């Protein structure tokens, strides 16, 4: 089982940037993703990445602003968030899944992921 710990959240003004990190243990070649949940809303997929980093997927709402990456030597997943908007305010979670077939069937589908971190709050003020 993968243990995931997010960090890097905080408060920022609109137009600013943040970089989230997700440290993973018990980790081996997992497909990974970032999800977020705003107050009163369902959790949604933000970005996802294959084990080698060659395949990435993004929600339309963050394309061109967010970049997902990973450093497998450090067992760490990242989400660089630029040009932040108030609507990006949410708790951000990282998640992992080992099954390639399940991942390719829906990289931004939260139901496909097995392991989750505790989340980190991102607040963007206007």
């Amino acid at each position: 089982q993968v243990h995931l710990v997010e960090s890097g959240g905080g408060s920022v003004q609109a137009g600013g940037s943040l970089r989230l990190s997700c440290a993973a243990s018990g980790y081996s070649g997992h497909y990974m993703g970032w999800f977020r949940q705003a107050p009163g809303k369902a959790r949604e997929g933000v970005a996802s990445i294959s084990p080698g980093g060659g395949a990435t997927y993004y929600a339309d709402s963050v394309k061109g602003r967010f970049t997902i990456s990973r450093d497998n030597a450090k067992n760490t997943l990242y989400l660089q968030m630029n040009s932040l908007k108030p609507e990006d305010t949410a708790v951000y979670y990282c998640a992992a899944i080992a099954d390639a077939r399940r991942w390719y069937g829906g990289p931004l589908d939260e139901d496909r992921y097995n392991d989750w971190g505790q989340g980190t709050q991102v607040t963007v003020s206007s």
Side-chain angles (χ1 to χ4, degrees):
Q1 184 175 1
V2 178
H3 182 59
L4 304 170
V5 179
E6 302 95 337
S7 61
S11 296
V12 64
Q13 289 191 326
S17 298
L18 283 174
R19 189 176 81 155
L20 305 183
S21 299
C22 174
S25 59
Y27 162 95
S28 176
H30 283 66
Y31 297 80
M32 300 189 75
W34 286 100
F35 295 78
R36 68 186 181 186
Q37 187 167 22
K41 295 187 177 181
R43 188 156 56 185
E44 63 173 351
V46 174
S48 186
I49 189 167
S50 60
T56 56
Y57 296 87
Y58 294 93
D60 289 342
S61 59
V62 306
K63 281 181 182 176
R65 300 189 298 121
F66 291 11
T67 302
I68 189 171
S69 63
R70 64 195 296 165
D71 184 336
N72 289 334
K74 295 182 179 179
N75 289 345
T76 303
L77 176 72
Y78 302 101
L79 185 68
Q80 178 67 45
M81 306 186 294
N82 299 328
S83 302
L84 283 161
K85 304 175 181 180
E87 51 263 44
D88 294 318
T89 295
V91 177
Y92 284 71
Y93 301 88
C94 66
I97 182 175
D99 189 322
R101 182 174 297 181
R102 283 180 57 82
W103 184 75
Y104 278 108
L108 298 181
D109 182 356
E110 63 167 323
D111 292 336
R112 297 179 182 269
Y113 287 78
N114 302 122
D115 300 292
W116 292 84
Q118 83 290 347
T120 186
Q121 176 70 46
V122 171
T123 302
V124 184
S125 58
S126 58

